[in-house]
Amino acid sequence: MILTWLAGKPDKEVYAFQKLIDQLKKTIESLKENEKVYMEEAAMRLEEAKIKYRAKNRDGALSCMRIKLVNEGAAHLVRALQISAHEDLIVAEQVIKEVTQVLRDEDFTVQKSSRVFIYVCFFLLVLIHFLSF
């Protein structure tokens, strides 16, 4: 107990924001993977459409092109989600910087006020000591 008091306990606000930042980074990574999968699927469908078109199967080629467009649209949506996740990440990092700065300023103010209190108490003890004679 005394050790945690001396070392300082971790701040709940900073820990919560750090957890949020970690989750956002994981989300961004998974979104990148999803975008890659959708783009690979679209490229595969394009190649399949080319093969079907050369084989004179126009309906099959059109079907593949529609699926390709759907996959590209999904990749575009995932890209938009990535952008919003990056914006959220930037905001969370700014907030954590501000919170840590406020906590540092608060700690400095508390230390300064505790020093003033100690000096005043010491002054009063010295004053009482000299007045008692």
Side-chain angles (χ1 to χ4, degrees), residues 116-132:
V116 169
F117 178 73
I118 291 171
Y119 291 144
V120 167
C121 289
F122 182 71
F123 175 73
L124 289 175
L125 283 173
V126 169
L127 188 64
I128 290 172
H129 179 68
F130 284 119
L131 289 178
S132 65

Side-chain angles (χ1 to χ4, degrees), residues 29-120:
E29 288 301 317
S30 69
L31 288 172
K32 284 181 183 178
E33 291 173 10
N34 287 344
E35 180 186 8
K36 183 180 175 184
V37 167
Y38 284 129
M39 293 306 289
E40 288 173 355
E41 179 79 21
M44 185 178 69
R45 291 296 179 171
L46 179 63
E47 292 301 318
E48 187 179 336
K50 286 180 183 178
I51 292 170
K52 287 184 179 183
Y53 185 76
R54 288 182 192 133
K56 306 287 187 208
N57 185 0
R58 293 177 194 259
D59 291 335
L62 283 175
S63 170
C64 289
M65 290 302 289
R66 286 186 190 117
I67 294 172
K68 174 191 170 288
L69 289 175
V70 168
N71 285 330
E72 286 177 346
H76 181 69
L77 289 174
V78 168
R79 202 171 304 126
L81 288 173
Q82 278 182 6
I83 291 171
S84 74
H86 276 290
E87 290 171 355
D88 291 343
L89 182 65
I90 290 169
V91 168
E93 287 175 347
Q94 288 174 349
V95 167
I96 199 169
K97 285 180 186 177
E98 290 175 7
V99 166
T100 54
Q101 184 63 35
V102 166
L103 289 174
R104 275 192 219 128
D105 292 345
E106 186 178 286
D107 287 344
F108 179 73
T109 307
V110 168
Q111 288 175 355
K112 190 175 179 181
S113 63
S114 64
R115 285 184 198 155
V116 169
F117 178 73
I118 291 171
Y119 291 144
V120 167

